[in-house]
């Protein structure tokens, strides 16, 4: 073994020798702004201690306590619960300079540095929040080998790229109990997100106790709401983790649940009921009555006391204007006040709302429909319809937050969201304008998630989005992102997240048995239908139990991704030899899975809907095996064979039970690949490969057209 | 298909034709007092409805609501949320006659009947609690096949054998948050348990907010305690499920956490600290000072208001008397008052305690140490040291509850607890004395359980104990119990129980990867060491993270039970042919598992402790394969071979990482079986089998001596 002193001498050289592409693999997510490996490995043992140096408060103490308990959980060690009296003797030395903002703020300094020195990990930060961000990095650094646990030699200087890194949770459509929200906050902190955007009212539910207007929660929530004490508890829980809580009470539309108890707020007489379906509904506040504003003033006066954050989200989206157009008094008001259309009327509403928010010292934020001529400059535009409105708004001097591209309820893959940048290099914004792009928010809309499934719809995918918001723009290697995401996903479980463990639980419930291996194999190769198409396959209401097979499926089916990459590897190899054995095992397993699945389906009517999927899967396995055999025999099949196989794949390509096989396009490539095999002798491989892709999955006409 | 009218005509015949042994298999647990199958199958479809007939209150309505939501979760249907206006049109018709006791009581009538008639399931009960018990049976009856979901034709008349069917949860040694307690209550209701015995104070922690004596929870709990509001919430949650909550505040011993804040209560000067280790500790209340009783009076006055139950558990166990013997003032008091010894002094304490409880209208209950001459007759004796004290007490006119034999913290198998009967046929009690045996309680002592693992230490095993408390004495088929337990275990998951899903979660945390199949295979064949022996393998303190491999292991390792039964089948077959192939596959898998396990251990220092287990397992696989090969070749090995194999099994039989392989005795039988193979030609098979058993695992000398 090299003496430590020698290692120290070598250290600068080792660091200098590293170029970014030579970095050893690590599990950090988000990737720090500056990260260099090398130097001293710090062992983590049963005698590991922590010291607090510099500024210390309850929040730092509690975060340190939690960090050490998580470290205990992972290592199995029992550490001392005393802080090390002498920093020089401690393993982890946390040195914060100051408390930071009293109330979590957009202006918080979240930076920190973490670098190993001989036998110590010094973590330094200007604020307690920065120190907390660094503690998460520390936990992600924990590594192990036969010698034991350790923190590898690193030098990290880190700070976020964007100051607004949020997750929206819609508890209006499906209520989520306090413990569900708290574990999301823990997970957010773990990946350095700093804003919980809490969408608290919807047509389908009003979720906050109001003492001034008790019929809001009494009649608008089915009994599923947060007491004011619970709200305070969650806000404090978030503060302890350096997370802001921005409440949203959507208005003037999306207010059905309000007007069940207070129909006089609406622009049509009512009566109203809590909405069970999904979509855009007519009820809208009457913006022409002073009583409406008086109600809102009193309401905001009461509820804003629960939310110390500087911002207040007014929603403002998807008001269809129908009630306004149908109400003669409103029409007369518009004529009298020269309000041209419903958009202008909504701007009028927003202007009056702004005055109320000013009075209650809240800064207004709203969805991008509110970006209309006359919008007050201090308003923050929350863009859900596209980046253009964000950049347009920035050019006009409005600050903005991006959610277009981060709609995780669309059930797109992590890779797809990861590719969206709130501020791409070609944004066309000046440096000053670019500063107005505050960051982004992933949006967990609540149509199809409940307490048992929301974790798996948010995590681990949202960790990839969190990285997009925190890490430098050029961190964008998708394969490496997925590799790290796998590890982070396990770590999130230690915070009580259920995204991994509820998969088998849901399958066991469906099957009524512990032996769900065949179901697990199937669920690992399917993905829920993307976009808002589940509703076309299953009756979409808030009352549907979210216990179907699709609820167990992940948006990023691991095995499906492997199949795709194996087929890709096979077709990229001019001799089509690579991975053949692995694919053969896979296709055989698909073909042979059907009897096991059928046996389960026979006893479990809840699984009948997946019988066609089981058949498609087996059929695709047979197609795959045929292709491999043809390759082996060096035979090129005829067009009739191809048409028959493509017909099978067409059938398999149609969603069933709200699920689809994401690798059907790859299977089509396989079929065309074997058809065109002989061309490989003469055609350049890259050209051949591109041709196969187009042959197999021709670009659809009109797609993306004008 | 047979017309329904014809079926109805046949119905009585079908019922009469059934003898108990011809019952079709079912998944009811506990087994009802009277159960007959036959008659009409009632389909459960999307249009299934429920009607309430007769007495209706909020408790019944809420229970019905929960039942229908669970039925939705299992079936995937969305039922109407309206009750059927006309019972004749409903699928499930619940007819309660009265509310039952206002406060859950030992005298509650929990009986119900449930029988299918044409297209309906009428559930009738004299009380709402009885109706709730019947709803759990209804949910357990749900079945499915390719035709859909259904309730099979049944006639059930049910009532419990014992009126006290409890689960003790010790939150003193490890705190369990409210949500953990609530899900235990849900699970208890599912298997018809009716008493939560909440062990709220221990040397290691005092867990209830006291406004009169705030230093109790402030200094005695590490901040881990229930607020009074939370206590009320849990008690109400239990009441809604027909469950009593009996609090225990153990005294005069087990009080270290009390005297941290109030050292003047103790019999020695202090100061005191919260205890971290396990065992019996010295601190005991000073029974000679009036101030002690004044404190207890005030305390019980405050806290008894939170617990409406008629009973109050005073603990009274394991006071070692050391502080009493060492305190001259106490010794002088004893002399002056002619108190012969510390037992008599404790009786004196109990008598004064009884007066305080009388004053606060609580009936006293305590562990069987309190059964001393002079014990007031209205006291309930809680037997933990054996059935004898229970029966002795009954003969003296004391009511009693049995926990000896139901100590689930000993980590014995479900079968072992299932075999213990609170009132065996040979109890020697008269009918009147037998009535004093109120029932039993499973005891979840808290040394080695935390929020992530307590579910798997209680469930599903405790369902077998619940059956012992509810079902007729002659329900005792162990194999059938295990079969049903598997299904019930899945159903408990729908209540949020984590006993199944946290197994893989813990393995993933240990391994740091999702790919834990090799660990899962190993964990399925090992069991935690029984009794209180974990402490000899791992340092036992309340601070040890319960995230070790042993924490993922079940007390009833499924695969281990299968191995044992397969080896048994092989040896029971005179030609040793049966199950050979299955065993061969198993042994091969054991032998070949090591590289996969080693690869995981290499990266995960938390798994290093299982490396010796992996080796033992592979070695046993090799032994098993040798035996099978010798059988195949028809060869009898020599004594040297036998000694070598037994040495391997001796090594494998020693616990490691607080785990053991429960089938080592069976493996020994296998070795001796092949040695003695030739004797099968002449020896009667049963005699041969018995001889192998004894040869392989000779009764230990001195065990259970005189």
């Amino acid at each position: 073994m090299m003496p430590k002193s020698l290692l120290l001498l070598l250290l600068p050289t080792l660091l200098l020798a590293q170029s970014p592409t030579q970095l050893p693999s690590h599990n950090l997510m988000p990737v720090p702004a500056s990260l260099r490996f090398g130097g001293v490995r710090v062992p983590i043992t049963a005698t590991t201690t922590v010291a607090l140096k510099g500024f210390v408060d309850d929040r730092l103490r509690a975060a340190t306590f939690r960090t050490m308990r998580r470290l205990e959980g992972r290592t199995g060690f029992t550490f001392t619960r005393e802080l090390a009296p002498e920093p020089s003797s401690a393993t982890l030395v946390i040195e914060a300079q100051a408390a930071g903002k009293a109330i979590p703020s957009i202006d918080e300094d979240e930076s920190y540095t973490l670098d190993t020195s001989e036998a110590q990990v010094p973590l330094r930060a200007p604020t307690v929040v920065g120190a907390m961000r660094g503690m998460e990095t520390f936990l992600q650094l924990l590594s192990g080998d036969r010698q034991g646990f350790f923190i590898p030699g690193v030098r990290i200087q880190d700070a976020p790229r964007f100051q607004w890194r949020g997750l929206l949770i819609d508890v209006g459509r499906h209520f989520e109990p306090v413990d569900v929200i708290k574990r999301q906050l823990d997970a957010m902190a773990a990946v350095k997100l700093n804003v919980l955007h809490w969408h608290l009212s919807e047509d389908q539910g009003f979720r906050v106790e109001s003492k001034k207007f008790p019929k809001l929660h009494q009649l608008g929530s089915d009994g599923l709401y947060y007491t004011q004490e619970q709200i305070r508890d969650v806000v404090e829980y978030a503060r302890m983790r350096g997370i802001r809580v921005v409440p949203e009470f959507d208005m003037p539309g999306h207010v059905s649940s309000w007007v069940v108890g207070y129909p006089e707020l609406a622009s049509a007489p009512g009566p109203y009921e809590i909405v069970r379906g999904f979509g855009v509904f007519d009820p809208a506040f009457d913006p022409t009555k002073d009583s409406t504003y008086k109600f809102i003033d009193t309401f905001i006066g009461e509820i804003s006391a629960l939310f110390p954050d500087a911002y207040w989200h007014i929603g403002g989206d998807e008001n269809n204007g129908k009630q306004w157009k149908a109400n003669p008094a409103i029409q007369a008001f518009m004529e009298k006040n020269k309000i041209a259309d419903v958009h202008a009327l909504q701007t009028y509403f927003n202007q009056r709302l702004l005055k109320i928010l000013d009075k209650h010292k809240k800064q207004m934020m709203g969805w991008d429909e509110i970006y209309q001529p006359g919008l007050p400059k201090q308003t923050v535009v929350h863009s859900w319809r596209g980046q253009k409105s964000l950049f347009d708004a920035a050019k006009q001097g409005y600050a903005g937050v991006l959610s277009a591209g981060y709609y995780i309820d669309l059930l797109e893959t992590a890779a797809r969201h990861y590719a969206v940048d709130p501020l791409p290099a070609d944004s066309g914004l000046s440096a000053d304008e670019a500063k107005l792009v505050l960051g982004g928010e992933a949006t967990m809309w609540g149509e199809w998630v409940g307490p048992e499934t929301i974790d798996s719809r948010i995590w681990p995918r949202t960790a990839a989005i969190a990285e997009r918001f925190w890490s430098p723009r050029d961190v964008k290697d998708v394969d490496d992102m997925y590799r790290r995401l796998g590890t982070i996903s396990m770590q999130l479980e230690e915070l009580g997240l259920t995204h991994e463990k509820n998969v088998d639980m849901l399958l066991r419930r469906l099957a009524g048995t512990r032996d769900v291996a065949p179901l697990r194999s199937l669920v690992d190769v399917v993905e829920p239908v993307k976009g808002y198409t589940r509703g076309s396959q299953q009756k979409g209401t808030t009352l549907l139990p979210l216990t179907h097979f699709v609820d167990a499926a992940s948006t990023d089916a691991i095995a499906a991704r492997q199949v795709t990459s194996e087929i890709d590897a096979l077709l990229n190899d001019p001799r089509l030899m690579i991975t053949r054995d692995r694919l053969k095992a896979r296709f055989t397993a698909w073909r042979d899975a059907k009897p096991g699945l059928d046996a389960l389906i026979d006893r479990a009517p809840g699984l009948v809907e997946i019988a066609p999927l089981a058949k498609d899967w087996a059929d695709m396995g047979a197609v795959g095996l045929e292709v491999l055999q043809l390759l082996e025999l060096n035979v090129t099949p005829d067009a009739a064979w191809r048409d028959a196989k493509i017909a099978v794949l067409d059938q398999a390509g149609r969603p069933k039970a709200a699920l689809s096989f994401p690798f059907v396009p790859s299977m089509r490539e396989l079929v065309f690949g074997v058809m065109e095999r002989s061309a490989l002798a003469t055609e350049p491989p890259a050209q051949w490969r591109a041709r196969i892709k187009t042959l197999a999955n021709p670009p659809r006409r009109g797609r993306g057209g004008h």
Side-chain angles (χ1 to χ4, degrees), chain A residues 162-219:
Chain A
F162 294 104
Q163 63 205 118
W164 189 301
R165 305 179 309 280
L167 169 64
L168 174 148
I169 301 179
D170 165 17
V171 295
R173 292 180 175 89
H174 278 94
F175 182 71
E176 304 294 342
V178 166
D179 62 328
V180 175
I181 301 297
K182 283 187 175 174
R183 66 184 188 236
Q184 310 313 318
L185 287 166
D186 281 316
M188 288 170 67
V191 297
K192 302 183 172 63
L193 289 174
N194 68 355
V195 181
L196 170 63
H197 173 162
W198 208 356
H199 185 84
L200 287 159
S201 67
E202 256 308 336
D203 292 300
Q204 294 85 355
F206 185 95
R207 305 302 182 190
V208 179
E209 175 192 26
S210 169
K211 294 179 183 184
K212 301 278 186 189
F213 302 110
K215 283 188 282 184
L216 286 174
H217 66 276
Q218 283 167 4
L219 300 184

Side-chain angles (χ1 to χ4, degrees), chain A residues 1 6 27 51 93 139 154 181 240 337 501 521 552 584 587 646 652 675:
Chain A
M1 238 177 73
L6 193 56
N27 293 313
V93 182
L139 283 169
V154 283
I181 301 297
M240 289 295 279
N337 292 280
K501 62 189 180 183
S521 302
K584 190 171 179 182
F587 293 145
I646 291 299
M675 293 298 296

Side-chain angles (χ1 to χ4, degrees), chain A residues 12 101 109 133 150 169 183 194 203 221 234 263 277 307 323 388 390-391 417 459 500 543 549 583 594 649 660 686 695:
Chain A
K101 308 290 177 185
D109 185 338
R133 304 289 178 251
F150 64 94
I169 301 179
R183 66 184 188 236
N194 68 355
D203 292 300
S221 76
V234 167
F307 295 99
Q323 284 199 340
K388 187 173 177 304
L390 186 75
F391 300 153
H417 296 301
W459 308 105
E500 294 276 353
L543 305 182
F549 195 76
L583 275 172
K594 200 162 172 296
L649 297 177
S660 61
L695 272 175

Side-chain angles (χ1 to χ4, degrees), chain A residues 6-41:
Chain A
L6 193 56
L7 251 176
L8 279 175
L9 281 175
L10 283 171
L11 184 60
T13 328
L14 285 169
L15 286 174
L16 284 172
Q18 277 181 339
S19 85
T21 51
Q22 292 173 321
L23 281 179
S25 80
H26 63 82
N27 293 313
L28 301 183
M29 187 167 234
V31 170
S34 163
L35 165 66
R36 317 199 81 179
F37 279 87
V40 187
R41 161 183 168 142

